[in-house]
Amino acid sequence: MMKKLLVSTLLLMGGMSMQAQAAGSEALIKQNLQKVNARIQVESISEAPVKGMYEVMLNTGEVLYSDEKGEYFLLGKLYQFSEQEGFVDLTEQKQSALRKEALAKIPAEQMIVYPPKGEVKATVNVFTDVDCPYCRKLHAEVPKLNAMGVQVNYLAFPRQGAGTATYRDMVSIWCATDAAARRKAMDLAKNGGDLEAKTCDDPVLDQLQLGQNMGVTGTPAIVLSDGTLLPGYVPAAQLAKTLELN
């Protein structure tokens, strides 16, 4: 009995020691990043798939990898070799999971939603700028996507930021009275029409920031239901293949 108790105690102490070491490493990593630039905001630090390394998530959506002492940092993709799949992008897997989680928190009423008339077979989330040519090209294919059972959820991403004409137009769209009115305003803006100016407690800048945190750098940017980011315009037929609808 005494021997079993001693073994249990040693195991518990070992576990506590490992937790303390991990906490110490996380503190060192964060401290050293702050020394480099006090504006760096760390969202989370956890053990990386590679032994002795830590995965550092920044509020910008970027992923860093660090040693346990916070002396060496790597910014880039981490891949794992798999006999079945070849190189697996572990960094993208992590970012996709975070994108999916972030999008799940956005109420549907804060998006401009184009649902299909029948069954919803797939959903895509699109960060859009009403004045970008390729955003307009994608918007022209929304009816095709709807016909294939794809729901399109628009999020605001005025590329030039607040105070621009595009930003004001997007605020006017999001401030329309109801879902149908917002779609009508979006259609008008995408076709180069003039919008009635409106203001309200809108989510436009919050969605712009969200997109930037997800790694969106231009528009359109399509985020699939699993969090996969497809930058740029994707034709409806090609998107249907990606969604495995064909």
Side-chain angles (χ1 to χ4, degrees), residues 5-190:
L5 180 60
L6 179 58
V7 171
S8 298
T9 303
L10 288 173
L11 288 173
L12 177 61
M13 290 177 65
M16 291 174 64
S17 176
M18 290 175 64
Q19 289 177 357
Q21 182 181 348
S25 295
E26 292 171 18
L28 276 173
I29 292 167
K30 189 171 184 179
Q31 177 181 306
N32 288 349
L33 285 171
Q34 289 287 303
K35 287 179 180 178
V36 173
N37 189 332
R39 292 179 297 177
I40 293 176
Q41 295 184 36
V42 175
E43 290 290 320
S44 65
I45 300 176
S46 57
E47 292 185 11
V50 180
K51 186 177 180 180
M53 292 184 68
Y54 284 81
E55 183 180 76
V56 185
M57 290 296 306
L58 305 183
N59 72 322
T60 57
E62 295 172 296
V63 181
L64 300 177
Y65 298 96
S66 170
D67 71 324
E68 58 189 11
K69 295 182 179 179
E71 292 179 343
Y72 297 93
F73 290 89
L74 174 67
L75 174 60
K77 297 282 192 178
L78 178 64
Y79 293 89
Q80 180 182 33
F81 173 74
S82 165
E83 291 284 357
Q84 293 74 31
E85 302 176 57
F87 280 127
V88 178
D89 188 341
L90 299 182
T91 305
E92 178 57 31
Q93 283 186 352
K94 178 71 173 184
Q95 291 176 319
S96 292
L98 292 172
R99 292 187 199 109
K100 180 180 179 179
E101 182 181 336
L103 286 170
K105 295 177 182 177
I106 302 177
E109 59 268 20
Q110 290 187 7
M111 303 177 181
I112 311 298
V113 179
Y114 286 77
K117 291 182 178 179
E119 177 191 357
V120 177
K121 297 179 181 178
T123 300
V124 294
N125 305 281
V126 183
F127 285 91
T128 192
D129 177 314
V130 293
D131 290 324
C132 93
Y134 279 99
C135 293
R136 292 183 173 184
K137 191 171 183 178
L138 178 61
H139 188 70
E141 296 198 63
V142 168
K144 290 182 183 178
L145 291 168
N146 286 164
M148 290 185 284
V150 180
Q151 177 169 305
V152 178
N153 298 335
Y154 275 129
L155 297 105
F157 197 90
R159 295 166 298 165
Q160 303 303 317
T164 61
T166 299
Y167 164 75
R168 290 191 292 271
D169 279 346
M170 298 190 80
V171 168
S172 296
I173 293 169
W174 261 259
C175 289
T177 53
D178 56 31
R182 287 192 287 272
R183 286 193 294 270
K184 184 177 180 181
M186 179 68 81
D187 293 342
L188 180 61
K190 294 279 190 179

Side-chain angles (χ1 to χ4, degrees), residues 127 156-159 161-162 203-213:
F127 285 91
F157 197 90
R159 295 166 298 165
V204 172
L205 287 183
D206 287 341
Q207 292 182 6
L208 173 63
Q209 183 64 59
L210 174 65
Q212 291 171 338
N213 291 350

